[in-house]
Amino acid sequence: MIVLLGINDIGFPRVRMPGAKGTEAKEMPFASQAVSADEMIVGLKQIIGRAHAHGINVFGATLTPFEGTNSYDESGEAIRRAVNKWIRSTDAFDAIIDFDRAIRDPEHPTRVRQEYDSGDHIHRVRQAIRQWQI
């Protein structure tokens, strides 16, 4: 099993929504759902434990960059980095896939490389998948 979870958990509480017609922009309507890196790691450990209890090998995938989205901020980036650090250093997973390293812009590591950016600064294009032959 490949586990690539968490970027929405980081981003949604930070989403800045454009206001309805004739109103001011609504800031962070999901702020009450914010999670910490530690909470995300506890959740990942639960998934790993449950899968392992059924004999399923678990590959952890690092969280990819999301700067440029309407949910990016420095506190969310700090959470993403902390979770990725744990994913890269833990022995809880059977293996890891470092999607962050594979698609981040080397000149601006909080952003997706331009050739992999579908235009919304978070979702990857098919050419990246074809390149990796996934």
Side-chain angles (χ1 to χ4, degrees):
M1 174 171 77
I2 298 172
V3 178
L4 173 55
L5 294 174
I7 203 65
N8 287 338
D9 298 302
I10 295 169
F12 274 10
R14 293 167 172 75
V15 167
R16 292 171 299 282
M17 304 287 290
K21 193 174 189 179
T23 64
E24 294 181 28
K26 294 181 179 181
E27 293 292 317
M28 303 177 190
F30 307 109
S32 65
Q33 298 175 21
V35 295
S36 68
D38 288 339
E39 290 169 320
M40 292 179 62
I41 291 166
V42 166
L44 290 168
K45 287 178 179 179
Q46 289 175 351
I47 292 168
I48 295 164
R50 290 174 184 173
H52 282 166
H54 293 281
I56 299 169
N57 289 328
V58 184
F59 287 43
T62 55
L63 304 177
T64 55
F66 71 115
E67 185 178 348
T69 68
N70 68 343
S71 62
Y72 178 85
D73 66 19
E74 289 183 18
S75 64
E77 176 61 17
I79 293 169
R80 184 185 79 86
R81 285 185 184 189
V83 171
N84 280 351
K85 181 178 179 180
W86 178 80
I87 290 169
R88 290 179 179 120
S89 64
T90 187
D91 61 357
F93 290 108
D94 297 292
I96 68 158
I97 304 167
D98 201 337
F99 285 127
D100 172 47
R101 218 171 254 145
I103 71 160
R104 71 181 175 214
D105 182 337
E107 301 298 317
H108 199 139
T110 56
R111 290 186 174 263
V112 173
R113 286 172 37 179
Q114 185 175 7
E115 63 265 30
Y116 297 148
D117 189 346
S118 66
D120 66 1
H121 312 296
I122 194 166
H123 295 101
R124 275 58 67 197
V125 294
R126 289 185 184 158
Q127 71 192 55
I129 293 169
R130 281 190 209 119
Q131 178 181 341
W132 302 329
Q133 297 183 14
I134 295 175

